[in-house]
Amino acid sequence: MVPQMTEFWEPEVKTVSTPENVAPSDAIVLFEGKNLDQWVSTKDNSKSAQWTVNKDGTFTVKKGTGNIQTKQSFLDYQIHIEWKVPANISGQSQARGNSGLFLASTGPDNDGYEMQILDSYNNRTYANGQAGSIYKQSPPLRNATRKPGEWNVYDVIFTAPRFKDDGSLFSPARVTAIHNGIVVQNNTILTGPTQYIGLPSYDKPHGKSPIKLQDHGDPSEAISFRNIWLREL
């Protein structure tokens, strides 16, 4: 053999521009700092998201209005999202800056696959419910949460589950997640949609699904988000 026999020139790898602090050129921008046009109410998909868009290019949970979700549905993707617990946060354990990034919303309310968002800076709770966990399934490998008032960054790769024609599971969902530059989920296998009570299972087959953000309902001060973009894989 000669070296050229194992050199493949086609198809050529597509180029993506990645300017600093800007979404990649092939990304779907879900929040650019001006409006929530890419989001709707989970309670009623015909209604716009009711959370508060701020003048500084962020948006804040409007408590009591319910969860919001993307207008579009996705299968496998990479998502970037930044979130901040307010500096004046109060409460403890799960009642302290609680929200959630549902990587696939499979129904109303809190149905789906949740990656926990929570103030886990000097705030102990159950390990599989702290920031960076796959809720009630997989604790994060490390607690990388920044103190209240500082921005946290999630970069997550989600592989959706696949189902056979008869509705049984073919392959489970998988998650790799980086929190503030630290790997907290490494190709984690999900055993089903997350459950607050009981054990998860894949009993409801689904395909592409919206992405959902949670209005948790605890009495602590509301958290904020910014710079949300997604790349389909």
Side-chain angles (χ1 to χ4, degrees), residues 18-208:
T18 56
E20 188 174 358
N21 298 323
V22 178
S25 58
D26 64 347
I28 298 171
V29 178
L30 297 175
F31 180 71
E32 81 302 330
K34 297 180 180 179
N35 57 61
L36 288 170
D37 288 354
Q38 299 299 318
W39 301 80
V40 294
S41 167
T42 300
K43 292 180 180 178
D44 184 348
N45 297 168
S46 67
K47 293 183 178 180
S48 301
Q50 299 299 305
W51 293 8
T52 305
V53 178
N54 306 307
K55 293 181 179 179
D56 63 356
T58 68
F59 68 93
T60 302
V61 178
K62 188 174 182 180
K63 298 230 172 185
T65 61
N67 300 339
I68 65 173
Q69 66 185 42
T70 57
K71 290 181 177 178
Q72 299 182 67
S73 294
F74 306 98
L75 199 63
D76 305 333
Y77 61 83
Q78 168 192 354
I79 190 170
H80 174 96
I81 184 169
E82 301 175 22
W83 54 274
K84 181 176 71 172
V85 173
N88 64 333
I89 192 70
S90 60
Q92 59 184 1
S93 187
Q94 293 290 300
R96 186 179 173 90
N98 197 324
S99 184
L101 169 63
F102 284 78
L103 301 168
S105 175
T106 58
D109 198 27
N110 294 323
D111 295 335
Y113 307 82
E114 180 185 6
M115 183 170 177
Q116 178 71 305
I117 293 173
L118 187 76
D119 179 21
S120 291
Y121 184 86
N122 292 335
N123 176 43
R124 194 176 184 202
T125 190
Y126 43 94
N128 59 353
Q130 71 179 68
S133 67
I134 304 303
Y135 186 68
K136 287 289 187 80
Q137 289 193 41
S138 176
L141 297 172
R142 293 290 185 273
N143 180 359
T145 313
R146 292 172 178 157
K147 65 182 180 181
E150 297 183 0
W151 285 98
N152 286 270
V153 179
Y154 279 172
D155 287 290
V156 184
I157 297 171
F158 179 67
T159 302
R162 302 299 200 272
F163 298 88
K164 300 177 184 178
D165 290 341
D166 63 3
S168 62
L169 182 69
F170 177 74
S171 60
R174 294 174 181 266
V175 174
T176 294
I178 298 173
H179 182 190
N180 295 331
I182 302 297
V183 175
V184 293
Q185 300 290 339
N186 185 15
N187 199 30
T188 300
I189 297 174
L190 279 62
T191 54
T194 49
Q195 300 290 331
Y196 179 51
I197 300 174
L199 300 176
S201 63
Y202 288 102
D203 56 359
K204 295 180 180 180
H206 62 86
K208 288 186 175 183

